[in-house]
Amino acid sequence: MTDRIIAAEVILTSPGRNYVTLKLQTADGLVGYGDATVNGRELAVASYLRDHVVPLLTGLDPARIEDTWQYLYRGAYWRRGPITMAAISAVDLALWDIKGKAAGMPVYQLLGGAVRDRVLAYTHASAWELPELLDEVDARREEGFRAVRAQSGVPGLETVYGVHREAAGYEPAKRGAAPVVESWDTDSYLRHVPSVLAAVREHVGPELALLHDAHHRLTPQQAARLGKALEPADLFWLEDVTPAENQDALRLVRQHTTTPLAIGEVFNSIYDCKDLITGQLIDYIRVAVAHAGGISHLRSIFALAAVYQVKAAPHGPSDVSPVSFGASVHLGLSTHNFGIQEYMGYDALAHEVFPHAWSFSDGYLHPGEAPGLGVEVDEALAAKFPYEPAYLPVARRLDGSVTDW
Ligand SMILES: [Mg+2]
C-alpha cells in the first residue's frame, strides 16, 4: 500500500442548520467525508479537528482504519467526551468512505454484507392538541412510516420538548447568540401524557409502532410510574426516561414496567453504554454514528449489545448530517441486532448540499449501492451557507431553576 492521505480539511456549512464535515483526500485521488457535527458546539469540534487532528493525518495510510482510531483515541491522552469522540467519528467515517471507494463497494458490503433487505425507520409526529396530533400521525403513515414517535403539548406550559407551535415543523436549535429558555413542569406532563398516548393507540389500531420520548426529564420513580402508565398503549419504546448518568437508577424503572426502554443518544463511548447493556436495563441502545466513535466503535457497542439481546437504534435527528446518517443506514443493513433507525428528515437544502445514495421508501431505508458511504458534498453550494451560531434550548422549572432540556 503506497497510498497516503495528502490533504484534510474541515467544511463548516449551514444549509438550514449547521454541519461540520471532514474531507480527506488520498494520493490516489480518492475523497472521503466524515461528519463531526455536535449541535450547539460546532466550532469546538471544528477546532479540535483543524488544530489537533488534521495535522496528524497527512501521510497516514488510509487503509489502516482501526489503527488510526486507536491512535486518535489513545493518543489524545484525554479520552472520550463528545468533542473528542465526534472528531474521531469523522475521521473513522471518512476512512470507511475511502476504503469503500477504493474497493468499489458500498460500505455495508465491507461490514459483512446485508443481513436484511431494508432498514426499518421511525419518524416524528407532534402537535399541541390531540386532534392535530392524530392528523400528524396519519400524515406520517400516509408517507409510508410504520413507526411514529408521538409528542404533544402539555396544559399550562408554553413550550414542550418535541412539539412545535409554528407551521414550519419542529427544529429545536434556534439561530442566535444564546439558547432560548423554555419552561418545564414534570407533574403536568405526567398527568397528561398517558391519556394522549392511549388516544393515539386507539386511533391507529394495534399495528403501528408507537414511540415516545421523555427527553431525560424524569426521576427514576417518575420514570417507573410513566412506564407502567403507558403499558396499555403498547409502545415500541419509551425513550430517555432519565438522564442515565446514574445508570443503576434504571434498575428501579425495570422492576416496575415492561414498557421497552431506549437510551443513549448523548453517549459517546462503549463505557457510557456498558452497565445499561450488561445489566439488561434497556432494550435499545441509541448511540449515533457521528457522536460515539464512528462505524468502528458502534460495531463494538452493537456487538456487546447483541450478547444481551439489546438492539441498535441510532439517533437520527436533523443535526447528524446526511453523511453520518448514510453511515448509520449501512450499519443498519449489515448489523444483525439492529432494531430501527430514527429518521427526522432534512431541510431540502441539506439534501442538495449532501447528495446521497441512501433513500427512504415505504417505511424503510436503504444505503444504496454507491461505493463508500454514498454521500458526497457539493462544496460550492455548501460555501453559500456559512456557519451561524445556533443553540438547543435550555429549560427552567416553574420556580426558575434550571432542569434538563
Ligand atoms: Mg431522543
Side-chain angles (χ1 to χ4, degrees):
M1 168 60 79
T2 56
D3 198 14
R4 287 288 180 266
I5 296 168
I6 57 165
E9 182 188 344
V10 177
I11 301 166
L12 267 171
T13 182
S14 193
R17 57 159 312 107
N18 293 315
Y19 295 109
V20 182
T21 307
L22 177 69
K23 176 187 181 187
L24 300 183
Q25 287 178 268
T26 73
D28 285 357
L30 295 175
V31 171
Y33 292 107
D35 176 23
T37 306
V38 179
N39 199 346
R41 295 293 183 272
E42 294 88 354
L43 298 184
V45 73
S47 163
Y48 192 104
L49 282 167
R50 278 179 182 144
D51 298 330
H52 305 295
V53 174
V54 161
L56 310 178
L57 296 178
T58 309
L60 291 187
D61 178 353
R64 297 183 65 157
I65 300 176
E66 180 64 20
D67 183 59
T68 303
W69 196 99
Q70 299 293 342
Y71 172 69
L72 293 174
Y73 179 79
R74 295 173 200 284
Y77 192 63
W78 313 104
R79 296 184 189 183
R80 301 158 58 188
I83 303 302
T84 297
M85 295 304 286
I88 294 175
S89 300
V91 176
D92 186 77
L93 294 183
L95 293 177
W96 278 104
D97 194 20
I98 288 169
K99 192 179 278 289
K101 286 169 176 167
M105 288 185 190
V107 163
Y108 80 81
Q109 292 288 9
L110 306 181
L111 301 176
V115 295
R116 55 180 53 82
D117 301 327
R118 47 192 188 163
V119 176
L120 181 65
Y122 78 89
T123 195
H124 300 180
S126 74
W128 202 260
E129 301 291 345
L130 181 61
E132 288 75 28
L133 176 61
L134 299 180
D135 290 346
E136 283 289 309
V137 172
D138 287 342
R140 301 293 86 76
R141 295 160 89 191
E142 275 158 32
E143 289 163 11
F145 285 99
R146 295 149 192 264
V148 176
R149 192 193 81 167
Q151 310 286 137
S152 89
V154 173
L157 295 183
E158 287 301 308
T159 52
V160 170
Y161 164 77
V163 187
H164 58 94
R165 280 192 183 274
E166 56 281 31
Y170 185 65
E171 174 48 70
K174 301 288 184 219
R175 294 183 193 268
V180 169
V181 179
E182 296 187 347
S183 61
W184 182 247
D185 180 53
T186 298
D187 292 334
S188 302
Y189 165 79
L190 289 175
R191 280 194 297 273
H192 186 62
V193 74
S195 66
V196 170
L197 286 161
V200 175
R201 173 56 75 201
E202 195 185 331
H203 177 75
V204 299
E207 284 179 23
L208 185 79
L210 267 185
L211 301 83
H212 180 72
D213 190 348
H215 222 250
H216 322 275
R217 295 174 182 208
L218 310 181
T219 65
Q221 185 274 341
Q222 290 168 333
R225 247 178 76 202
L226 180 61
K228 206 169 173 177
L230 293 178
E231 282 173 18
D234 189 24
L235 293 190
F236 185 93
W237 80 39
L238 176 59
E239 179 176 338
D240 285 335
V241 282
T242 74
E245 287 150 334
N246 171 13
Q247 303 210 341
D248 267 348
L250 271 295
R251 292 185 198 287
L252 185 134
V253 184
R254 277 297 214 205
Q255 282 162 11
H256 292 282
T257 180
T258 55
T259 294
L261 302 175
I263 288 183
E265 66 183 47
V266 301
F267 293 176
N268 53 68
S269 81
I270 197 168
Y271 304 102
D272 299 327
C273 311
K274 180 175 67 74
D275 293 350
L276 291 180
I277 291 172
T278 60
Q280 303 186 65
L281 302 178
I282 54 172
D283 301 280
Y284 294 90
I285 184 71
R286 302 215 60 241
V287 281
V289 74
H291 299 140
I295 288 172
S296 299
H297 199 57
L298 255 64
R299 290 179 90 196
S300 300
I301 295 171
F302 295 169
L304 176 68
V307 176
Y308 296 91
Q309 294 173 286
V310 172
K311 289 184 178 176
H315 197 207
S318 56
D319 59 297
V320 301
S321 91
V323 174
S324 63
F325 187 79
S328 210
V329 183
H330 282 278
L331 273 168
L333 202 71
S334 57
T335 301
H336 184 256
N337 63 318
F338 203 90
I340 197 166
Q341 173 64 55
E342 183 179 26
Y343 181 39
M344 191 172 164
Y346 291 99
D347 191 287
L349 269 178
H351 287 291
E352 284 181 46
V353 167
F354 298 96
H356 52 79
W358 59 259
S359 60
F360 170 83
S361 86
D362 197 28
Y364 291 88
L365 292 152
H366 193 281
E369 300 297 340
L373 294 176
V375 185
E376 300 302 317
V377 181
D378 182 335
E379 292 182 44
L381 188 59
K384 291 182 181 166
F385 306 105
Y387 165 82
E388 289 181 44
Y391 290 95
L392 292 169
V394 297
R396 289 186 183 275
R397 299 183 188 92
L398 301 183
D399 69 359
S401 58
V402 172
T403 185
D404 298 298
W405 178 77

